[in-house]
Amino acid sequence: MLPKDLHDFKDVAENYDLYLEEMYSSGDNHEGFREFYLDFAREYGKHGVIDIACGTGAVLLYLAEHGIYADGTDLSEAMCRVAEDKAKARGFRLNIFPANMTEFSSGKKYSCAIIARSGFMHLLTPELQRAALLNIRENLTDGGMLTFNTFDPHPYFQAQQMNTKDTDYSFRLEYTNLQGMREKIYNAISYDPHTQIMSGNWKFETLNEDGEVIEERIRPVRMRQTYRQEMKYLLELTGYELINVYGGYHGESGDASAKNVIWCVRKK
């Protein structure tokens, strides 16, 4: 049994869309991501699309709204339940199921697989990354396409996080939760250069009308940073052909200056 992560908690899943909207209202590294995945699915999804690490369905439901009825899977049962509820409320009957991307199988193959935003980065070891890529390959048709993204490790932030404890909280944002109450989110992230893992905690503070903290919740989070050359070698080992690397969801150059790295690969 894997230890619980941020997205496994019911309170996080229920409020996920609400605080992400606030988080991405400024400095959004994911601006245009839905349109990118829609274009990708339209081009390569003739024989089926699967949204892996689908979360609460941001991409999955956007595809459905545009006539592409993809399957969705996520490690978090809480996230899957939220995605299912949203799909039903909009009149969509979608196949959404909880599963680890290292071993999922829906009993059919797809010509297009999507791991949106940072889903791939929650695989914490090269062995798990390899297992996921091999399993996804098994679920793809011959010549099937996969897209996922990573973030280039940044030495400046790595150095900062190497000296950060999991209780050294920094304010992230304030939003209104599902119950209509104000919440503040803080996070503390440390970095281990040996494992390349960022780990720490998110702290949620619920406020009353006077701005006083009436509840506090701590939720753990862990993600792994992967260097590009490491990723290219891993893709080669797991039987993929690199088709393109973008630096953003509008087709920006994926050169060394890009921080958001969007990989587009084909099953050999």
Side-chain angles (χ1 to χ4, degrees):
M1 176 71 86
L2 293 171
K4 273 196 169 186
D5 195 64
L6 177 71
H7 306 103
D8 294 317
F9 290 87
K10 182 175 181 287
D11 60 287
V12 174
E14 290 178 343
N15 289 292
Y16 188 68
D17 294 341
L18 297 173
Y19 73 70
L20 275 196
E21 183 178 357
E22 179 63 30
M23 184 182 297
Y24 294 149
S25 63
S26 61
D28 184 0
N29 287 325
H30 297 102
E31 195 272 325
F33 77 99
R34 291 181 180 89
E35 293 82 2
F36 175 88
Y37 293 123
L38 176 61
D39 290 342
F40 192 86
R42 281 173 169 165
E43 184 169 359
Y44 300 113
K46 180 179 179 181
H47 299 294
V49 179
I50 184 162
D51 181 2
I52 302 166
C54 66
T56 57
V59 172
L60 195 65
L61 296 180
Y62 189 77
L63 295 180
E65 288 166 355
H66 290 81
I68 298 175
Y69 297 95
D71 288 349
T73 182
D74 197 285
L75 181 61
S76 167
E77 293 185 17
M79 288 284 193
C80 286
R81 283 194 292 269
V82 172
E84 286 176 342
D85 290 343
K86 289 166 63 178
K88 290 176 182 177
R90 300 182 193 188
F92 299 128
R93 296 183 63 184
L94 303 178
N95 179 27
I96 303 171
F97 56 97
N100 193 320
M101 70 175 78
T102 61
E103 57 188 17
F104 80 89
S105 175
S106 68
K108 59 184 178 181
K109 292 184 181 288
Y110 307 88
S111 58
C112 176
I114 293 167
I115 308 177
R117 297 185 282 193
S118 57
F120 187 83
M121 295 178 67
H122 288 277
L123 298 165
L124 298 180
T125 66
E127 291 78 15
L128 286 173
Q129 292 177 334
R130 179 177 180 272
L133 289 169
L134 286 172
N135 186 57
I136 293 167
R137 189 177 185 278
E138 284 299 308
N139 284 273
L140 286 173
T141 59
D142 291 342
M145 292 288 293
L146 164 66
T147 183
F148 63 99
N149 90 286
T150 58
F151 293 101
D152 272 344
H154 195 294
Y156 174 78
F157 295 117
Q158 285 177 329
Q160 283 188 320
Q161 291 170 349
M162 285 168 63
N163 294 298
T164 302
K165 299 176 183 177
D166 61 7
T167 53
D168 293 337
Y169 290 105
S170 297
F171 175 74
R172 189 71 182 269
L173 61 91
E174 182 178 322
Y175 78 107
T176 302
N177 69 16
L178 192 64
Q179 288 73 39
M181 303 187 72
R182 290 163 54 207
E183 284 199 340
K184 290 185 177 182
I185 299 178
Y186 302 81
N187 61 11
I189 303 295
S190 60
Y191 177 69
D192 183 339
H194 300 290
T195 62
Q196 297 169 215
I197 292 175
M198 301 180 297
S199 62
N201 293 307
W202 282 38
K203 180 170 69 173
F204 295 79
E205 291 183 345
T206 307
L207 311 177
N208 63 16
E209 293 180 355
D210 297 322
E212 299 168 329
V213 177
I214 58 174
E215 183 186 23
E216 179 181 289
R217 306 184 308 281
I218 306 297
R219 301 293 182 245
V221 63
R222 301 177 77 199
M223 299 172 72
R224 185 175 189 272
Q225 298 186 351
T226 304
Y227 290 89
R228 289 202 201 191
Q229 197 56 43
E230 179 186 8
M231 193 71 251
K232 289 178 181 178
Y233 187 49
L234 191 57
L235 289 167
E236 180 183 340
L237 287 176
T238 51
Y240 291 90
E241 174 188 6
L242 181 60
I243 301 301
N244 220 325
V245 179
Y246 298 108
Y249 293 105
H250 297 290
E252 295 93 331
S253 170
D255 61 21
S257 64
K259 295 179 181 179
N260 189 12
V261 187
I262 304 166
W263 303 86
C264 300
V265 301
R266 176 181 290 129
K267 174 182 176 178
K268 290 182 181 179

